[in-house]
Amino acid sequence: MGKELALKFSKKPDLIIGIGDGIYTNVEEFLNGIYSVYDNVVVSGGLAADNGEMKQTFIGLNDKIYSKGAILIGLFNKDLIVETYNSLGWQVVGEAGIVTKADKDKVYEINYEPTIKFYDKYLSKEVTKVFPKIGVEFPLLKKHGKRFVARAILRKLENGGFKFGGSIKEGEKVYLGIGMLDNILKE
């Protein structure tokens, strides 16, 4: 989807703003599609939300509203100054887990046990029983270069797995992330 939308521009934008639905869009695959067309463009944006319900989100374009898909907005101006800054604001909690069974954005096992057991270890069954409603507050963190990226829980799967807002590969080290309000505000 990212590649298909990026190819619609007649020339390389100076900045791309991407907005996707928050249920079906795999952010990593979406961005990889854009970067396959424009490998060094700055992309900003985010995913639509529904206040933690994880049932249906909406994006709009012109006079239409969609529950699936994404839009790209290209900014073109030779005088546009684009600067980037990244701030995660999430704190790593506990020891690393190794993803032992996954398929793109679905993680079935960490350390050879259902993914929910990794969460239960640090948060308790009382907290994890309300996932995915509060799952965005406890993403999995994984290293991407020198920094961490967060993968929020979007949906519970059968057998204790979760669907996340981006891909996580088998063999990757992951950590539980907790939002620390002071760190988020400071950043």
Side-chain angles (χ1 to χ4, degrees):
M1 181 171 49
K3 181 177 182 177
E4 182 180 325
L5 291 173
L7 287 169
K8 291 183 183 279
F9 295 124
S10 60
K11 64 179 185 175
K12 180 182 174 186
D14 296 296
L15 172 68
I16 293 176
I17 301 171
I19 303 168
D21 74 79
I23 305 296
Y24 303 101
T25 301
N26 180 318
V27 175
E28 191 162 348
E29 289 182 1
F30 181 61
L31 288 171
N32 287 341
I34 294 168
Y35 293 136
S36 74
V37 178
Y38 302 113
D39 65 347
N40 62 352
V41 68
V42 174
V43 179
S44 182
L47 296 178
D50 66 352
N51 201 28
E53 295 297 321
M54 301 300 181
K55 293 180 182 172
Q56 189 172 33
T57 62
F58 300 98
I59 55 173
L61 179 62
N62 298 327
D63 61 345
K64 295 187 179 171
I65 295 177
Y66 303 92
S67 61
K68 292 182 181 176
I71 61 172
L72 291 185
I73 301 164
L75 300 182
F76 302 86
N77 186 317
K78 63 181 174 58
D79 296 324
L80 181 66
I81 298 170
V82 179
E83 294 183 15
T84 62
Y85 177 74
N86 176 48
S87 171
L88 187 61
W90 297 96
Q91 179 71 43
V92 168
V93 174
E95 298 174 0
I98 304 296
V99 176
T100 50
K101 185 175 180 186
D103 181 23
K104 296 184 182 177
D105 57 355
K106 296 173 184 76
V107 177
Y108 301 101
E109 292 180 1
I110 297 175
N111 298 332
Y112 299 100
E113 293 188 319
T115 304
I116 196 164
K117 294 214 181 253
F118 183 76
Y119 278 91
D120 287 343
K121 178 180 176 180
Y122 295 107
L123 299 176
S124 81
K125 289 181 181 180
E126 291 299 310
V127 173
T128 60
K129 75 179 180 184
V130 295
F131 280 0
K133 187 168 179 75
I134 63 167
V136 72
E137 297 176 31
F138 303 102
L140 282 183
L141 302 179
K142 67 175 195 164
K143 280 281 196 173
H144 184 77
K146 294 182 180 180
R147 59 185 174 91
F148 281 103
V149 294
R151 296 291 181 246
I153 295 171
L154 300 181
R155 186 169 71 236
K156 279 184 179 180
L157 302 172
E158 291 184 26
N159 301 321
F162 293 107
K163 176 179 172 39
F164 289 88
S167 296
I168 302 172
K169 297 175 184 165
E170 287 183 11
E172 283 190 299
K173 280 186 183 179
V174 292
Y175 300 84
L176 175 66
I178 293 183
M180 305 298 286
L181 185 57
D182 289 342
N183 291 353
I184 293 169
L185 292 173
K186 180 180 169 187
E187 293 292 320

